[in-house]
PDB file of all heavy atoms in Angstrom:
ATOM      1  N   ARG A 202     -17.837  44.187 -49.102  1.00 97.00           N
ATOM      2  CA  ARG A 202     -17.180  45.395 -49.624  1.00 97.00           C
ATOM      3  C   ARG A 202     -16.299  46.046 -48.567  1.00 97.00           C
ATOM      4  O   ARG A 202     -15.162  46.393 -48.806  1.00 97.00           O
ATOM      5  CB  ARG A 202     -18.225  46.381 -50.120  1.00 97.00           C
ATOM      6  CG  ARG A 202     -17.638  47.715 -50.572  1.00 97.00           C
ATOM      7  CD  ARG A 202     -18.670  48.842 -50.480  1.00 97.00           C
ATOM      8  NE  ARG A 202     -19.585  48.747 -51.655  1.00 97.00           N
ATOM      9  CZ  ARG A 202     -20.775  49.354 -51.676  1.00 97.00           C
ATOM     10  NH1 ARG A 202     -21.191  50.034 -50.648  1.00 97.00           N
ATOM     11  NH2 ARG A 202     -21.557  49.272 -52.711  1.00 97.00           N
ATOM     12  N   LYS A 203     -16.812  46.202 -47.354  1.00 97.00           N
ATOM     13  CA  LYS A 203     -16.060  46.825 -46.255  1.00 97.00           C
ATOM     14  C   LYS A 203     -14.797  46.093 -45.979  1.00 97.00           C
ATOM     15  O   LYS A 203     -13.700  46.717 -45.830  1.00 97.00           O
ATOM     16  CB  LYS A 203     -16.893  46.772 -44.970  1.00 97.00           C
ATOM     17  CG  LYS A 203     -17.707  47.997 -44.695  1.00 97.00           C
ATOM     18  CD  LYS A 203     -18.250  47.945 -43.258  1.00 97.00           C
ATOM     19  CE  LYS A 203     -19.575  48.772 -43.174  1.00 97.00           C
ATOM     20  NZ  LYS A 203     -20.268  48.545 -41.916  1.00 97.00           N
ATOM     21  N   ALA A 204     -14.851  44.760 -45.924  1.00 98.00           N
ATOM     22  CA  ALA A 204     -13.664  43.961 -45.646  1.00 98.00           C
ATOM     23  C   ALA A 204     -12.610  44.031 -46.798  1.00 98.00           C
ATOM     24  O   ALA A 204     -11.447  44.196 -46.542  1.00 98.00           O
ATOM     25  CB  ALA A 204     -14.041  42.513 -45.401  1.00 98.00           C
ATOM     26  N   LEU A 205     -13.137  44.025 -48.056  1.00 98.00           N
ATOM     27  CA  LEU A 205     -12.205  44.150 -49.202  1.00 98.00           C
ATOM     28  C   LEU A 205     -11.492  45.498 -49.169  1.00 98.00           C
ATOM     29  O   LEU A 205     -10.310  45.562 -49.455  1.00 98.00           O
ATOM     30  CB  LEU A 205     -12.964  43.995 -50.516  1.00 98.00           C
ATOM     31  CG  LEU A 205     -13.456  42.604 -50.890  1.00 98.00           C
ATOM     32  CD1 LEU A 205     -14.315  42.664 -52.169  1.00 98.00           C
ATOM     33  CD2 LEU A 205     -12.288  41.603 -51.076  1.00 98.00           C
ATOM     34  N   LEU A 206     -12.242  46.514 -48.848  1.00 98.00           N
ATOM     35  CA  LEU A 206     -11.656  47.914 -48.867  1.00 98.00           C
ATOM     36  C   LEU A 206     -10.631  48.005 -47.723  1.00 98.00           C
ATOM     37  O   LEU A 206      -9.585  48.643 -47.935  1.00 98.00           O
ATOM     38  CB  LEU A 206     -12.753  48.964 -48.667  1.00 98.00           C
ATOM     39  CG  LEU A 206     -13.685  49.136 -49.881  1.00 98.00           C
ATOM     40  CD1 LEU A 206     -14.836  50.034 -49.516  1.00 98.00           C
ATOM     41  CD2 LEU A 206     -12.918  49.705 -51.088  1.00 98.00           C
ATOM     42  N   THR A 207     -10.894  47.369 -46.626  1.00 97.00           N
ATOM     43  CA  THR A 207      -9.887  47.367 -45.496  1.00 97.00           C
ATOM     44  C   THR A 207      -8.615  46.694 -45.982  1.00 97.00           C
ATOM     45  O   THR A 207      -7.503  47.152 -45.724  1.00 97.00           O
ATOM     46  CB  THR A 207     -10.445  46.673 -44.273  1.00 97.00           C
ATOM     47  OG1 THR A 207     -11.711  47.284 -43.958  1.00 97.00           O
ATOM     48  CG2 THR A 207      -9.534  46.798 -43.078  1.00 97.00           C
ATOM     49  N   LEU A 208      -8.736  45.520 -46.614  1.00 98.00           N
ATOM     50  CA  LEU A 208      -7.561  44.820 -47.132  1.00 98.00           C
ATOM     51  C   LEU A 208      -6.850  45.615 -48.183  1.00 98.00           C
ATOM     52  O   LEU A 208      -5.600  45.654 -48.272  1.00 98.00           O
ATOM     53  CB  LEU A 208      -7.985  43.450 -47.664  1.00 98.00           C
ATOM     54  CG  LEU A 208      -8.491  42.426 -46.638  1.00 98.00           C
ATOM     55  CD1 LEU A 208      -9.071  41.200 -47.404  1.00 98.00           C
ATOM     56  CD2 LEU A 208      -7.418  41.983 -45.720  1.00 98.00           C
ATOM     57  N   ALA A 209      -7.603  46.236 -49.097  1.00 98.00           N
ATOM     58  CA  ALA A 209      -7.021  46.971 -50.225  1.00 98.00           C
ATOM     59  C   ALA A 209      -6.188  48.180 -49.716  1.00 98.00           C
ATOM     60  O   ALA A 209      -5.240  48.638 -50.416  1.00 98.00           O
ATOM     61  CB  ALA A 209      -8.093  47.458 -51.175  1.00 98.00           C
ATOM     62  N   ASP A 210      -6.545  48.666 -48.512  1.00 97.00           N
ATOM     63  CA  ASP A 210      -5.787  49.773 -47.928  1.00 97.00           C
ATOM     64  C   ASP A 210      -4.365  49.463 -47.551  1.00 97.00           C
ATOM     65  O   ASP A 210      -3.536  50.295 -47.317  1.00 97.00           O
ATOM     66  CB  ASP A 210      -6.516  50.269 -46.638  1.00 97.00           C
ATOM     67  CG  ASP A 210      -7.475  51.438 -46.968  1.00 97.00           C
ATOM     68  OD1 ASP A 210      -7.463  51.857 -48.123  1.00 97.00           O
ATOM     69  OD2 ASP A 210      -8.221  51.807 -46.031  1.00 97.00           O
ATOM     70  N   GLY A 211      -4.090  48.129 -47.465  1.00 97.00           N
ATOM     71  CA  GLY A 211      -2.767  47.683 -47.062  1.00 97.00           C
ATOM     72  C   GLY A 211      -2.306  48.073 -45.689  1.00 97.00           C
ATOM     73  O   GLY A 211      -1.194  48.545 -45.465  1.00 97.00           O
TER      74      GLY A 211
END
Side-chain angles (χ1 to χ4, degrees):
R202 175 202 283 161
K203 265 190 207 171
L205 287 176
L206 290 172
T207 306
L208 292 172
D210 267 353

